[in-house]
Amino acid sequence: FFPSVSLAWRIDQENFMKNAEFIDQLKPRFSWGKMGNQAVSLYSYLSSVNTSGYDYSFDGTKYGGAAISALADNTITWEETTSYDAGIDFSAFGNRVLFSADWFLKRTEGILRTVNLPSQVGDLSGPKSNVGVVDNKGIELSLTLRDSWGDFSAGISGNFSYTRNEIVDLNGETEINGRLICKEGYPINSIYGYKALGLFRSDEEIAGAPRQTFGDIAPGDIRYANVSDRNNKNTVDRDDRTVIGNVIPRYTYGLNIAMQYKGFDLSMLIQGVGKVNAIYTGDAVWALYNAGKMQRWHMDYWTPQNPGASYPRLIADSSHNNFQNSSFWVYDASYVRLKNAQLGYTLPERLTRKIWIQKLRLYVS
């Protein structure tokens, strides 16, 4: 059962707004609703019996066997998303100005995740259960301005959204998948690794820093922060991994520009995202990693003659300190790009009619 309800108030149509003739629309609105995700594998609530690979010997004779290899949760149900939205629509001056704003919260509960089980229970795969709760909340804004002056007309439309993704509940579990982590209080699939503090520049810096546990450390190697310092051991190890980046953009925005003068027209679409990261590994960032590949910026690597280098010393051991997943290899993935631009000219009808053409437009994009 997934109900929804919405409410809006056309304030511009009330009697007390009659004198505000420049306002075309003023409408606050509120909505609440639920949706279900039925993308659940059939019979997920039942434990299946596997008849392959479970043969056994009885009195010297081989017999076919069967066993349950994965547990099931018989209370499994659909994921459920509850949406809250409060917004306002405004337009004025003959729809020359249009503005809308929304605050939203989408909470998805009962997210289906595989529950891991200890091998002591018979090396069974864990069941899929409704264990996750995730929030997406933020604001969305849009503004359009348009007008014309004689033969010239122009319009500009912009939109902006801020969204914060957060795992609210994961039943106390933490799921690590390579360089990504799902952990309560953080966005889904946050980047996970060591916090880099730059490069060691001397033996004295190495001696005064927490012990780094990945190989023989020398000047020019990446220095990691001792984040946890459990048991005061003053050592950087796997316990010191932490969230070092976010792969879900916090901001998205766009800008659409259109202009026209007599037969000429110009349009542009600009789009971008902000506060988002990417982590690179392999020959994307590591010098000589694959078949000796090397980028120009790898040439600024640390040597005793180049102690202020931006890139670590060259080393061939892929298990070494310098090859760990760390913030040293996390980059700002924000961007703004001109996605499309088009300039066109429409020939006057008085010319095209002479050659039996109703409309002819030339453009470059």
Side-chain angles (χ1 to χ4, degrees):
F1 179 59
F2 301 111
S4 64
V5 62
S6 61
L7 172 68
W9 181 19
R10 286 295 302 271
I11 299 178
D12 56 279
Q13 296 184 0
E14 299 291 347
N15 289 331
F16 59 81
M17 293 290 294
K18 287 183 177 180
N19 293 329
E21 296 180 354
F22 67 95
I23 296 179
D24 301 310
Q25 179 176 255
L26 178 59
K27 182 176 71 173
R29 45 186 167 73
F30 308 91
S31 64
W32 172 91
K34 288 190 174 186
M35 295 185 298
N37 176 17
Q38 75 273 33
V40 183
S41 300
L42 293 177
Y43 310 110
S44 297
Y45 57 92
L46 295 175
S47 295
S48 57
V49 178
N50 194 336
T51 59
S52 175
Y54 292 94
D55 298 339
Y56 68 100
S57 176
F58 183 75
D59 195 20
T61 303
K62 180 181 176 182
Y63 292 91
I68 292 176
S69 59
L71 293 184
D73 181 356
N74 61 9
T75 66
I76 197 171
T77 184
W78 291 1
E79 297 176 351
E80 186 174 274
T81 297
T82 304
S83 298
Y84 307 83
D85 187 278
I88 188 169
D89 296 326
F90 173 81
S91 62
F93 306 108
N95 286 325
R96 293 182 176 89
V97 177
L98 298 97
F99 172 77
S100 69
D102 284 87
W103 169 89
F104 63 88
L105 168 62
K106 291 184 178 180
R107 167 161 290 194
T108 302
E109 299 176 279
I111 294 178
L112 294 169
R113 311 288 292 187
T114 299
V115 178
N116 296 320
L117 299 177
S119 57
Q120 292 93 323
V121 299
D123 201 23
L124 297 173
S125 300
K128 279 190 177 294
S129 296
N130 302 98
V131 297
V133 178
V134 173
D135 278 354
N136 284 283
K137 54 186 175 183
I139 58 171
E140 293 179 343
L141 305 172
S142 67
L143 175 66
T144 298
L145 304 173
R146 57 193 180 194
D147 207 347
S148 60
W149 302 269
D151 293 329
F152 178 76
S153 62
I156 180 170
S157 299
N159 60 78
F160 171 86
S161 70
Y162 167 88
T163 304
R164 185 175 183 87
N165 176 275
E166 181 184 358
I167 298 175
V168 178
D169 183 19
L170 206 56
N171 200 28
E173 292 192 15
T174 296
E175 182 179 300
I176 300 172
N177 184 13
R179 298 184 293 271
L180 303 177
I181 184 172
C182 289
K183 185 178 181 180
E184 293 175 1
Y186 293 94
I188 291 177
N189 288 334
S190 295
I191 302 175
Y192 186 60
Y194 299 95
K195 182 179 179 182
L197 301 176
L199 303 180
F200 285 115
R201 305 293 178 179
S202 65
D203 290 323
E204 290 76 17
E205 285 190 9
I206 296 174
R211 186 173 70 89
Q212 319 277 304
T213 57
F214 307 103
D216 296 326
I217 307 302
D221 290 339
I222 300 175
R223 176 179 180 175
Y224 299 133
N226 186 13
V227 176
S228 65
D229 198 19
R230 295 181 181 178
N231 302 321
N232 297 317
K233 56 188 176 182
N234 200 32
T235 299
V236 176
D237 55 22
R238 294 175 65 85
D239 290 338
D240 293 293
R241 292 177 298 171
T242 186
V243 173
I244 54 176
N246 172 38
V247 300
I248 301 176
R250 190 71 56 85
Y251 310 109
T252 59
Y253 51 90
L255 190 65
N256 203 330
I257 301 171
M259 300 180 183
Q260 188 169 351
Y261 178 71
K262 293 185 176 180
F264 292 94
D265 63 87
L266 172 68
S267 63
M268 290 184 291
L269 175 61
I270 300 169
Q271 179 263 335
V273 300
K275 204 170 179 60
V276 60
N277 303 109
I279 183 170
Y280 298 120
T281 60
D283 51 17
V285 288
W286 295 336
L288 309 177
Y289 180 78
N290 185 14
K293 292 181 180 178
M294 201 163 184
Q295 306 295 334
R296 181 181 298 273
W297 54 278
H298 291 151
M299 300 302 294
D300 186 26
Y301 60 90
W302 189 95
T303 65
Q305 295 75 31
N306 187 26
S310 61
Y311 193 83
R313 71 182 176 112
L314 298 184
I315 190 168
D317 181 8
S318 61
S319 64
H320 186 268
N321 210 60
N322 296 345
F323 294 89
Q324 305 303 314
N325 296 324
S326 76
S327 60
F328 197 89
W329 311 113
V330 172
Y331 295 85
D332 183 0
S334 305
Y335 67 84
V336 57
R337 65 163 60 105
L338 177 63
K339 293 203 70 172
N340 188 45
Q342 187 174 104
L343 176 65
Y345 177 70
T346 302
L347 274 69
E349 286 188 18
R350 57 184 173 81
L351 297 179
T352 57
R353 278 201 304 264
K354 294 180 179 180
I355 52 176
W356 303 285
I357 294 177
Q358 189 173 19
K359 183 179 181 180
L360 179 62
R361 179 176 177 267
L362 309 175
Y363 68 90
V364 58
S365 63

